[in-house]
Amino acid sequence: MSQDVFIIGADMLKFGRFPDRTVPDLGAEAALLALRDAGLGIGDIDAFYCGNLVEAMEMVGQRILHHIGQTGIPVVNVANACATGATALREGLMAIKSGMHDVVLCVGVEKLPRGLMGGGAQPSPQLEGLFGSTSMPSVFAQVGQEYARNHGATFEQFAKVSVKNHHHSTMNPKAMYRIETPLEMVMQAEMISWPNTKLMCSVNVDGAAAAVLASEKTTRRLGLMGQAVRIRGSALASDPWSPRNQTMPDFNTVTRLAAARAYEMAGLGPDDIDLVELHDCFATAELVHYENLSLCGEGEAGRMIDEGEAALGGRIPVNVSGGLLSKGHPLSATGIANVYEVVTHLRGQAGARQVEGARIGLTHVVGAGHAGAAAGVHILEKA
Amino acid sequence: MTAVQDPRTPKAAVSHICLSRLDDPYIEGHRCGGCGEVFLEVHARCARCFGDDLTPARLGDTGRLYNFTIVHRSFPGVVTPFVSAIVDMDGGGVVRGTLKGAGVDPAALAFDMPVRLVFGDSGQKDEQGAPYIAYHFVPSQGPTS
Ligand SMILES: [Zn+2]
């Protein structure tokens, strides 16, 4: 059996807007913070997995090394839509599991153009509006609508997700926004794509996050077991065939597939999880993922949000960082930032938003284009 | 026979619209002989059963509203609001399209309501001035056949 892999350093930039900085510059800062957290330098790193989407053809990983040290290590640039960060982390994990490397660096970094995601360069003719919509707000509005169709969730229940996550972010100094958004404010905000209002859409920001991973042997040799977090489960899935998924991306089946694999690898179940950072790119998405990650039974997500079970202090706190809705969603950084959040709780360093006694946490991201989907799930345990 | 086509002959706005007869446009999908699934794109193998028995199939004109959202904000230049619909077509296939004639009030839209396809000029032209033919959905009284 291959040896366990540990996160020995992790950090992220406070998400925001950095018009005067470059992608490699942001990634380099996050990398240095994570290295410092581990007490290491770039010379200690055997391989580097770098996630970025907007400059995916521009060797972002190599350019980060230009900023912090060109050591000649293998660099793998990773792109997998909004599952990019989780994919980069998993590549690093597998490199250590394989025995090829002992210590690796994983970075997710993004600097986003402003405005609505999902457009890209439109060829003639303009299809948006002509054949419905493929914008991300529309795609994820339909995710909620399908849940409403099957289980009767209401606009108000979806809106409560946003109220909760904005509240959580007031306790997170690294969140983009730190403001309370009462229910009426969320529901009365500009409607973007029914039933998601503007305050139910994730925040379009720049950011970077990084993690340093090491083998068990190296973690012990460095004397870092005290701050280390064990990666118990790591799973990635592509969208298997499911009815309609070539017309309407299906994030449920792909998430369930990744979650089942991660739980199996970890030898753990949903009852073992103390906190969850999941992919709330839109408020509608969070509710469906309660069920996709087996945090509640079928049809119970509405009740779960109504009864505060997913809030800090509840049965299974979800997105205590503020989530993508309020902490922000710099695409490729998201899947490593959520790992940083869980690591912080497992170390007992999350301050006002600390989930008391957290031992095991789960992170989840999904990625999508106008077709095709990915899901990444990691289960982390205090070493 | 080699005929030079008028550059302003109407064109399909998306590749799965078949315009072999301009007075009888339809959606051409591909049906898998192994499992019966219908795809709008041309694929090498069936995504569901991996079989290679894929043959062109004319989709029906009627279906039921499986899912929808009302789009209030879209990309620059796109007129809003509009209803983006996902429709289960009678006889197989799933089609995304704009639903017109049903308003933009969520209370007026019901899951599974019957709809039908309407083909027509999209109002957009290519560089040579050829109009793009598109389709949208309208509410209907259910399958007619
Ligand atoms: Zn088939």
Side-chain angles (χ1 to χ4, degrees), chain A residues 119 125-126 128-134 138 141-142 145-146 149 190-194 241 244 246-248, chain B residues 37 39 43 47-48 66-75 82 84 88 94 96-98 111-112 124 132:
Chain A
Q126 166 67 265
E128 178 74 10
L130 192 56
F131 296 99
S133 176
T134 57
S138 299
Q142 287 169 349
Q145 286 283 83
E146 185 177 47
R149 174 194 171 101
E190 180 191 354
M191 184 57 68
I192 302 295
S193 207
W194 169 264
W241 179 87
R244 305 180 192 84
Q246 294 197 2
T247 304
M248 182 182 78
Chain B
E37 189 60 30
F39 301 93
H43 292 154
R48 182 184 188 180
Y66 177 75
N67 199 342
F68 65 91
T69 179
I70 300 145
V71 181
H72 292 266
R73 175 104 74 91
S74 187
F75 308 122
F82 64 91
S84 179
D88 287 346
V94 182
R96 174 173 34 77
T98 300
F111 294 119
D112 295 322
Q124 300 184 53
Y132 283 111

Side-chain angles (χ1 to χ4, degrees), chain B residues 32-37 39 46-51 54:
Chain B
C32 173
C35 71
E37 189 60 30
F39 301 93
C46 173
R48 182 184 188 180
C49 76
F50 324 145
L54 292 162

Side-chain angles (χ1 to χ4, degrees), chain A residues 128-187:
Chain A
E128 178 74 10
L130 192 56
F131 296 99
S133 176
T134 57
S135 76
M136 285 297 125
S138 299
V139 165
F140 282 93
Q142 287 169 349
V143 168
Q145 286 283 83
E146 185 177 47
Y147 188 79
R149 174 194 171 101
N150 293 337
H151 298 296
T154 63
F155 175 35
E156 182 175 328
Q157 286 174 322
F158 291 128
K160 282 178 178 175
V161 169
S162 193
V163 175
K164 170 180 72 75
N165 292 354
H166 279 97
H167 169 66
H168 286 161
S169 70
T170 63
M171 295 174 275
N172 183 358
K174 295 200 172 186
M176 169 72 182
Y177 289 126
R178 302 183 67 191
I179 49 162
E180 298 283 358
T181 57
L183 186 61
E184 313 74 62
M185 184 179 170
V186 172
M187 294 177 74

Side-chain angles (χ1 to χ4, degrees), chain A residues 161 164-165 278 280 282-290 310 318-319:
Chain A
V161 169
K164 170 180 72 75
N165 292 354
L278 63 74
D280 60 325
F282 295 87
T284 43
E286 179 164 317
L287 281 199
V288 305
H289 292 315
Y290 293 166
V318 174
N319 289 331

